[in-house]
Amino acid sequence: MSSRDVLFQPCEVLIPAAIENQITEKNAASVQAKILCEGANGPTTWQADAILDAKGVFTVPDILGNAGGVTSATSNGCKTGKGSSGARVKSTNA
């Protein structure tokens, strides 16, 4: 089974978490999950979102599905001085 085929297997929850635009209008009808949690930034196109919604797939958008990663990255950027903000943020990351 290819890595792309994994996205279209029967499952309760699907979490595309690596690359954007993996689920498009060409393949959205093949998604067999009941819940799709967007772990990557923009793993579905807006056209795919409409198809998934019409199929009754509950979608957790990327702004919620991967918010922890963005928060940690921003926090670490500030802590190491690589962020664009001059503010210091205390991170609880190890």
Side-chain angles (χ1 to χ4, degrees), residues 31-79:
V31 170
Q32 298 182 55
K34 295 179 181 178
I35 300 170
L36 186 135
C37 181
E38 297 182 340
N41 291 334
T44 60
T45 63
W46 64 269
Q47 298 95 334
D49 287 337
I51 294 166
L52 294 168
D53 187 50
K55 286 182 62 168
V57 177
F58 180 82
T59 301
V60 178
D62 58 358
I63 194 164
L64 298 175
N66 72 11
V70 172
T71 302
S72 288
T74 302
S75 175
N76 284 336
C78 289
K79 185 171 69 174

